[in-house]
Amino acid sequence: MSSDTRGMRPSMTRVWLAAARPRTLSAALAPVGLGAALAIGDGVFHAWSVIAALVGATLIQIGTNFANDYFDFVKGTDDESRIGPARATAEGWVSPRGMAVATVISFVAAAACGAYLVVRGGSAIAVVGALSIASGILYTGGPKPLGYIGLGDVFVLVFFGPVAVAGTYWVQARTLSHAALWLGFATGALATAILVVNNLRDREGDARSSKRTLVVRFGARFGRFEYAACFGLAAIATLVVLGAHPERPWLWIGLGFLVPAVFAVRAIAVTDGPALNPWLGRTAAIQLLHALLVGIAWCTA
């Protein structure tokens, strides 16, 4: 659903699909998929753990998106001047109460998936799950929302990066993998790049509503630098793992994500406003490409 659907009432199926923000779901799918691929390559793959982690991570991402839809509406961030895709609560398609209920249901369902993972991975997984859900709520909710004080980038980097990748590996192997941690920073940096596109597009409205993202604090030029830096961090983290594992030379193909990344950085440098919307999905595709290439390489050794 795009911003040109405002004033029209889509079907409820389309409303909830749009509210789930499918373009952002790679932030949950990529790290879990990468953690699974690392486990396959190491001979410790456990299918049920991966399924539970995948469903749980996706539900946390959807719950976070629902919470963002709700809190940004009640805080006045999403208003008629918004240039991004239409939001269900702001458009009146879903009541604030309805969106709050959907948020709770998503997080409760994620916790149910997490119960199995706690059995597999122990109390550390319980702590990680609780912090992930709490951060999803506090990203735009609470007295000091993470996204409103410039900590959203750190939240995404950590929780959709090393926490998700290493956590997925842990519930399968029941041990920590340094490769999973480093490659987690790579996929977390690419997830952060998706957020940067969003923050660049919304910076004027965010500034009016006192949502002090890093882009609002330091300007569009900084945001475009941060976007490029996310790809650089992902490349460095991948190279660290390659250097530590010479027995897996195929990891070089993981750097193939830099080809579309170069085009993305050039485009973001000269793109603004609603024209940034397609780059959310394109940046998400780059994140998935990196996870796919590295996963294949790890399993090929």
Side-chain angles (χ1 to χ4, degrees):
M1 188 181 305
S2 63
S3 57
D4 60 5
T5 61
R6 286 200 173 89
M8 302 168 57
R9 185 174 182 88
S11 68
M12 289 309 295
T13 299
R14 291 192 65 195
V15 166
W16 285 109
L17 179 62
R21 305 183 196 180
R23 292 179 181 177
T24 70
L25 296 186
S26 69
L29 301 178
V32 174
L34 183 54
L38 295 176
I40 291 172
D42 291 349
V44 294
F45 177 73
H46 189 265
W48 286 111
S49 295
V50 172
I51 292 171
L54 184 61
V55 175
T58 302
L59 286 168
I60 288 175
Q61 177 65 46
I62 291 173
T64 301
N65 290 339
F66 286 169
N68 182 258
D69 199 301
Y70 170 79
F71 285 115
D72 275 353
F73 171 72
V74 299
K75 292 176 183 292
T77 303
D78 287 345
D79 56 24
E80 65 280 354
S81 64
R82 178 181 169 78
I83 61 175
R87 294 293 177 239
T89 312
E91 293 292 330
W93 296 331
V94 177
S95 68
R97 175 182 172 82
M99 189 58 71
V101 169
T103 300
V104 172
I105 291 173
S106 298
F107 285 134
V108 168
C113 293
Y116 173 75
L117 296 175
V118 170
V119 173
R120 285 282 305 175
S123 58
I125 296 299
V127 173
V128 167
L131 288 174
S132 298
I133 292 174
S135 296
I137 296 170
L138 295 175
Y139 182 76
T140 49
K144 292 287 185 181
L146 299 174
Y148 280 69
I149 59 175
L151 293 180
D153 309 63
V154 176
F155 159 72
V156 171
L157 173 65
V158 173
F159 282 93
F160 290 96
V163 169
V165 178
T168 300
Y169 189 92
W170 175 276
V171 295
Q172 296 173 86
R174 301 185 185 182
T175 187
L176 193 61
S177 164
H178 289 94
L181 285 171
W182 277 104
L183 290 172
F185 275 111
T187 197
L190 297 175
T192 305
I194 302 173
L195 177 64
V196 173
V197 176
N198 183 82
N199 290 346
L200 275 168
R201 182 199 64 203
D202 293 344
R203 65 185 184 277
E204 293 182 2
D206 288 345
R208 286 194 299 270
S209 58
S210 299
K211 187 175 183 179
R212 304 284 291 171
T213 65
L214 292 184
V215 176
V216 170
R217 288 178 180 273
F218 302 113
R221 184 176 182 181
F222 170 86
R224 293 184 170 94
F225 169 80
E226 183 186 6
Y227 183 75
C230 286
F231 294 121
L233 176 58
I236 291 170
T238 304
L239 285 170
V240 168
V241 176
L242 177 63
H245 293 274
E247 77 281 5
R248 298 182 186 274
W250 283 103
L251 278 174
W252 278 109
I253 71 171
L255 296 174
F257 81 95
L258 287 173
V259 175
V262 168
F263 288 98
V265 169
R266 288 178 176 175
I268 293 298
V270 295
T271 305
D272 211 351
L276 286 169
N277 285 329
W279 288 100
L280 289 167
R282 293 166 189 170
T283 305
I286 295 173
Q287 183 197 25
L288 288 172
L289 176 64
H290 173 267
L292 178 64
L293 292 176
V294 170
I296 291 173
W298 194 267
C299 295
T300 304

